Amino acid sequence: WIRLKQHKTGRKVNVPVTRRLRSVLENTPRKSPVILANSLNRPWLQRTFREAWLRATRDAGIVDLHFHDLRGTAVTRLAEAGCTEAEIATITGHTLASVHTILERYLARTDNLAVAAIAKLERARQ
C-alpha cells in the first residue's frame, strides 16, 4: 500500500500497489522512508520539487504539463480499465463530482470502451 494525505483536499488516500510497482520498489535500494526523495534522501519541499519538475519537463521538451496533471491521467486510465467513479475517487482522493468532471472533459470515447460496454451487457444477459 501507498498511504498518503491528498494535498489539495486533505483526504487520506490508501492505494494498493500494482504488481509492477511492487517489483520496482522491492528492487530499488532504500535510502529514505519517503518514495519521492531529493538528492539528499529527504522529502521534497514543494518549491524545490516544482523547480525540479519544471526543469525536467523543459529539458525533455514537454510543454504545458503540470505534475498534478498526472492525477487526472490516472482518472482517465482507471476509467478506461473499467473502474467506477467511486473506485477512482477512492484511489485519487478526488471528490465524485471532480472525477465526473475530469472524465467528462478528458475521457476519449474509444472503440475499446464501446467493446467493453457491449461485453458487460452480454455477460449481464447470460
Side-chain angles (χ1 to χ4, degrees):
W1 292 85
I2 294 177
R3 301 178 195 283
L4 55 99
K5 185 174 173 183
Q6 202 278 333
H7 182 73
K8 190 173 182 181
T9 64
R11 283 192 175 85
K12 290 183 180 178
V13 179
N14 299 318
V15 182
V17 177
T18 64
R19 286 186 299 266
R20 184 175 175 190
L21 179 56
R22 178 185 309 277
S23 175
V24 169
L25 292 174
E26 287 173 350
N27 292 300
T28 301
R30 292 189 184 191
K31 297 178 181 180
S32 169
V34 178
I35 292 173
L36 286 177
N38 63 21
S39 61
L40 301 174
N41 298 318
R42 311 242 348 177
W44 284 93
L45 298 175
Q46 185 173 356
R47 179 182 55 79
T48 54
F49 183 85
R50 183 175 37 252
E51 290 167 359
W53 176 264
L54 290 171
R55 191 170 39 258
T57 55
R58 184 191 65 233
D59 292 350
I62 298 170
V63 179
D64 199 30
L65 178 69
H66 306 278
F67 187 75
H68 68 268
D69 293 336
L70 299 175
R71 209 165 57 121
T73 299
V75 169
T76 57
R77 288 191 177 176
L78 289 164
E80 289 169 344
C83 296
T84 66
E85 291 182 8
E87 290 169 332
I88 295 168
T90 301
I91 295 292
T92 65
H94 286 99
T95 64
L96 288 171
S98 292
V99 168
H100 183 79
T101 299
I102 291 166
L103 293 176
E104 188 63 37
R105 182 167 183 181
Y106 295 108
L107 184 64
R109 280 36 171 206
T110 64
D111 290 349
N112 288 343
L113 286 176
V115 168
I118 295 303
K120 286 178 184 178
L121 176 64
E122 288 177 341
R123 281 193 304 273
R125 292 190 173 202
Q126 292 177 358

